[in-house]
C-alpha cells in the first residue's frame, strides 16, 4: 500500500533500522508481544525519544494501544509510548467471534470507509488535545472513537492495512513534513 | 444500534486475525499455568488442548476436543487469542468451541478423525478455522471449505523438523511452479492437485496462498523456527517442543526471539544459548501412526 502511494518503506527490527526514517507505522498484532520485543530488541528507548521529538506515527489496533497514555487493562509490564492523550481498553468489542467490519464516516473524507475491526481496542477517554475523526456504534456502545489524531500521531482501532482503500494512509502521509 | 453495513464473521474479519498473528509463535498449552508462561514469553496466541501431541502419541486411544472448563480457565487467564482443536469432520465439537468463544478452531489431525471423507463446512461458522496441509492440493481444498489459515502439518509430537520441511517445500515449490505455468497448464494443475480451478488461477496471479500459511509439527529449537521462517512460513506453531523440554519458559522466549529475528543468525545464536535439553526426538521411520496422513 505504501509503495503504491509513492513511499519507500523499511521493516524495523533493530535500532539501526530507525536511521533515516521520516515516520513510522506501529501495526496490528498482539500488543503484549510487540511491547516485549520492542524492549528485547532495544528499539523502545530510541524510538520513544524520536516520537517525543515529533516523529509522525500511525498506530493501528495494537499500535494504538502502544501509543495511548493509558491502557485500562494492560499487563503491568506492558510498555507504552504515551504519545496521545487517550485511554484505551484492549479487546473492547469482545473476542474474535464479535470482530466485525462496518462503514465509517471519517472527517475529511467524502465517501464512507470500510473498516475491519479484529479483537479491537476501544477508546474510553479522550483528552482536549485529541481530535476524533471517526466513531462507531456497536455492541451496545455508541459513538466510540475509533480514529483519533493529535499532532503528528494518528491512531485507529481498526486495520486500514487489511483493505485496499488507502485513504487512511493518505491522511497519515499528509502529517509528514 | 450498529454503524452502517455492520457484519461479523466475514472472510476478511476471519482471515484478519490470521494476518495479525504473522511473524509470531502460537504455543500448545494444557492448563492455565502453561498459558500464562506462554503469554509471558511473548506468544501471540495459545492452543488449548488436553494433551500435547507427544503425549497423545505415547498414550494412544481416541483423542478428542478438550474439556470446556479447561478452555475457559485459559480464556480467563490470558488476554492473547485462545485457539482450540476439533476433530476432523466433527462439526459438533466445532460448534461447541464457537459457543465458548474461542478465537480460532483448529480442525486438527492431531486428534482422532471423526469423519473419513468429509472435513467441516467451515463457511457455516462465525469463528475462523485453521487446517493442516501436507501439499498444495490439500491446502486449497481446505481453503475452498472455508479455512482462513493453513499450517503445514509436519509430524506433530516428534520434535523432528524433517516432515515440516517436506510439507513447506512441497506447498511453496508448487506455488512457484504455478506462477510459471501458462493459462492452459493451470487446468492440468487444478486436476492434478484436485483443487478448485479458481484458486489455482488466483495463485498464478498472486504467487501466494489466499490465506496466511504457518508451520507446525516438529519445531523444537530456535534454529528450527528460523529454518521454517526462512523457507517461507509466516508464523510457527510449537506443540510439544516447549512444555516437553527441560526448561519451558526460557525455551518459549527463545523461540519467540528466533521467529522475530529469523534472518539474523547472531540473534538466533544468542537465543539458542544455554536452553537445556530440547524435547526427546523421534525418527519418522519408527512411528506407528503418522498423524499427517489423517485428512483428505
Amino acid at each position: 500500500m505504501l509503495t503504491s502511494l509513492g513511499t519507500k518503506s523499511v521493516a524495523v527490527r533493530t535500532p539501526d533500522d530507525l536511521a533515516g526514517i521520516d515516520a513510522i507505522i506501529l501495526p496490528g498484532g498482539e500488543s503484549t508481544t510487540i511491547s516485549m520485543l520492542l524492549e528485547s530488541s532495544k528499539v523502545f528507548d530510541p524510538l520513544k525519544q524520536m516520537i517525543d521529538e515529533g516523529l509522525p506515527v500511525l498506530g493501528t489496533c495494537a499500535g494504538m494501544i502502544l501509543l495511548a497514555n493509558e491502557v485500562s487493562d494492560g499487563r503491568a509490564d506492558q510498555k507504552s509510548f504515551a504519545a496521545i492523550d487517550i485511554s484505551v481498553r484492549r479487546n473492547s468489542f469482545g473476542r474474535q467471534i464479535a470482530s466485525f467490519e462496518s462503514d465509517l464516516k471519517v472527517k475529511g473524507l467524502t465517501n464512507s470507509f470500510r473498516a475491519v475491526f479484529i479483537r479491537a481496542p476501544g477508546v474510553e477517554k479522550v483528552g482536549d488535545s485529541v481530535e476524533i475523526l471517526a466513531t462507531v456504534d456497536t455492541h451496545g456502545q455508541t459513538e466510540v472513537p475509533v480514529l483519533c489524531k493529535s499532532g503528528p500521531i494518528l491512531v485507529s482501532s481498526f486495520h486500514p492495512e487489511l483493505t485496499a482503500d488507502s485513504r487512511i494512509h493518505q491522511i497519515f502521509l499528509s502529517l509528514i513534513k | 444500534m450498529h454503524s452502517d453495513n455492520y457484519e461479523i464473521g466475514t472472510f476478511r474479519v476471519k482471515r484478519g486475525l490470521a494476518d495479525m498473528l504473522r511473524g509470531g509463535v502460537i504455543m500448545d498449552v494444557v492448563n492455565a499455568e502453561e498459558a500464562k508462561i506462554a503469554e509471558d514469553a511473548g506468544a501471540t496466541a495459545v492452543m488449548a488442548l488436553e494433551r500435547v501431541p507427544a503425549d497423545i502419541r505415547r498414550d494412544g486411544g481416541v483423542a478428542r476436543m478438550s474439556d470446556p472448563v479447561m478452555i475457559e480457565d485459559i480464556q480467563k487467564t490470558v488476554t492473547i487469542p485462545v485457539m482450540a482443536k476439533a476433530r476432523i469432520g466433527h462439526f459438533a465439537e466445532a460448534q461447541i468451541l464457537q459457543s465458548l468463544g474461542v478465537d480460532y478452531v483448529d480442525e486438527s489431525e492431531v486428534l482422532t478423525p471423526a469423519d473419513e471423507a468429509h472435513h467441516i463446512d467451515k463457511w457455516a461458522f462465525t469463528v475462523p478455522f485453521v487446517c493442516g496441509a501436507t501439499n498444495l492440493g490439500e491446502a486449497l481444498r481446505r481453503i475452498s471449505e472455508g479455512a482462513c489459515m493453513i499450517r503445514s502439518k509436519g509430524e506433530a509430537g516428534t520434535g523432528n523438523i524433517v516432515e515440516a520441511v517436506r510439507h513447506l517445500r512441497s506447498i511453496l515449490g508448487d506455488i512457484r511452479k504455478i506462477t510459471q505455468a501458462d493459462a492452459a497448464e493451470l487446468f492440468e494443475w487444478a486436476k492434478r492437485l484436485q483443487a478448485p480451478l479458481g484458486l489455482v488461477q488466483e495463485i498464478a496471479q498472486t504467487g501466494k496462498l489466499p490465506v496466511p500459511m504457518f508451520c507446525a509439527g516438529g519445531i523444537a529449537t530456535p534454529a528450527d523456527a528460523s529454518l521454517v521462517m526462512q523457507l517461507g512460513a509466516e508464523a510457527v506453531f510449537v506443540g510439544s517442543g516447549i512444555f516437553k523440554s527441560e526448561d519451558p519458559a526460557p525455551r518459549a522466549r527463545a523461540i519467540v526471539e528466533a521467529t522475530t529475528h529469523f534472518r539474523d543468525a547472531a540473534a538466533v545464536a544468542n537465543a539458542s544459548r544455554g536452553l537445556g535439553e530440547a524435547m526427546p526426538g523421534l525418527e519418522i521411520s519408527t512411528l506407528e501412526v503418522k498423524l499427517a496422513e489423517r485428512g483428505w
Side-chain angles (χ1 to χ4, degrees), chain A residues 8-12 14-26 43 46-47 50-51 55-57 176:
Chain A
K8 215 177 132 204
S9 59
V10 294
V12 174
T14 69
D16 292 344
D17 298 328
L18 293 169
I21 62 169
D22 299 311
I24 194 164
I25 296 179
L26 301 177
V43 170
L47 181 56
M50 290 165 79
I51 294 173
L55 183 77
V57 192
I176 304 170

Side-chain angles (χ1 to χ4, degrees), chain A residues 12 24-31 34 38 57-67 156 158-161 169, chain B residues 19-20 22:
Chain A
V12 174
I24 194 164
I25 296 179
L26 301 177
E30 278 308 311
S31 58
I34 297 172
L38 280 167
V57 192
L58 169 61
T60 68
C61 194
M64 171 194 254
I65 297 168
L66 291 166
L67 290 165
S156 67
F158 56 92
H159 291 282
E161 71 274 25
H169 287 78
Chain B
D19 278 312
M20 293 312 126
R22 278 161 45 204

Side-chain angles (χ1 to χ4, degrees), chain B:
Chain B
M1 262 301 285
H2 291 304
S3 296
D4 295 345
N5 299 317
Y6 163 90
E7 284 179 285
I8 58 167
T10 62
F11 189 73
R12 195 152 52 180
V13 163
K14 294 202 280 192
R15 106 155 242 176
L17 181 54
D19 278 312
M20 293 312 126
L21 298 171
R22 278 161 45 204
V25 182
I26 300 154
M27 301 182 191
D28 278 3
V29 297
V30 301
N31 55 45
E33 187 190 340
E34 288 187 358
K36 188 81 182 74
I37 292 172
E39 184 179 61
D40 288 347
T44 49
V46 291
M47 176 75 69
L49 73 178
E50 218 130 69
R51 292 175 289 170
V52 294
D55 290 337
I56 291 175
R57 196 174 275 293
R58 190 197 60 212
D59 299 348
V62 174
R64 308 179 180 91
M65 181 191 81
S66 298
D67 185 335
V69 171
M70 183 272 270
I71 294 169
E72 284 164 348
D73 259 2
I74 291 173
Q75 287 174 322
K76 278 181 223 143
T77 307
V78 296
T79 61
I80 56 179
V82 176
M83 305 184 176
K85 289 182 193 286
R87 283 179 266 179
I88 290 173
H90 206 315
F91 53 85
E93 284 188 348
Q95 288 162 352
I96 293 166
L97 294 175
Q98 174 166 285
S99 82
L100 296 174
V102 306
D103 295 294
Y104 242 91
V105 173
D106 184 0
E107 187 182 17
S108 178
E109 70 284 357
V110 167
L111 305 185
T112 310
D115 189 320
E116 292 183 328
H118 309 94
H119 281 252
I120 297 169
D121 169 15
K122 294 166 273 286
W123 295 111
F125 287 78
T126 304
V127 68
F129 280 74
V130 51
C131 289
T134 59
N135 58 54
L136 182 58
E138 203 177 355
L140 295 180
R141 288 193 292 280
R142 296 298 85 78
I143 293 166
S144 71
E145 294 156 1
C148 302
M149 179 202 299
I150 293 294
R151 53 175 175 74
S152 54
K153 282 181 182 172
E155 191 54 35
T158 61
N160 189 338
I161 199 67
V162 67
E163 293 297 300
V165 169
R166 184 203 313 281
H167 300 155
L168 271 178
R169 281 203 181 274
S170 169
I171 294 168
L172 296 167
D174 277 353
I175 289 175
R176 282 188 284 268
K177 286 178 208 152
I178 285 174
T179 62
Q180 301 300 311
D182 73 14
E185 288 167 335
L186 296 180
F187 295 98
E188 203 273 324
W189 268 106
K191 190 172 73 179
R192 193 187 328 161
L193 294 172
Q194 298 181 276
L197 176 64
L199 289 176
V200 174
Q201 289 169 328
E202 187 181 332
I203 286 175
Q205 290 293 319
T206 62
K208 55 184 189 191
L209 286 182
V211 302
M213 189 177 70
F214 296 178
C215 176
I219 294 160
T221 67
D224 289 345
S226 168
L227 174 68
V228 298
M229 291 295 285
Q230 290 189 63
L231 282 171
E234 295 180 277
V236 298
F237 282 85
V238 186
S240 320
I242 290 170
F243 290 100
K244 283 289 162 188
S245 71
E246 187 183 349
D247 197 355
R251 181 165 296 267
R253 188 61 207 265
I255 292 176
V256 170
E257 289 291 338
T259 304
T260 304
H261 301 287
F262 65 93
R263 286 188 199 284
D264 180 347
V268 179
N270 216 14
S272 306
R273 278 175 220 279
L275 294 178
E277 284 290 317
M279 70 177 282
L282 293 171
E283 175 60 47
I284 302 296
S285 61
T286 64
L287 300 179
E288 280 178 27
V289 178
K290 281 178 110 178
L291 301 174
E293 290 173 357
R294 295 168 166 178
W296 11 92

Side-chain angles (χ1 to χ4, degrees), chain A residues 85-136:
Chain A
D85 189 12
I86 55 173
S87 173
V88 298
R89 175 174 295 279
R90 297 175 58 211
N91 304 331
S92 165
F93 301 99
R95 299 183 185 283
Q96 173 62 17
I97 47 173
S99 292
F100 63 99
E101 52 179 273
S102 189
D103 291 342
L104 301 182
K105 289 180 187 64
V106 177
K107 204 183 269 187
L109 299 183
T110 316
N111 297 318
S112 64
F113 186 92
R114 189 75 182 158
V116 180
F117 294 80
I118 309 288
R119 291 169 39 97
V123 176
E124 297 188 317
K125 271 189 302 192
V126 174
D128 294 339
S129 60
V130 177
E131 186 184 1
I132 298 169
L133 300 181
T135 64
V136 76

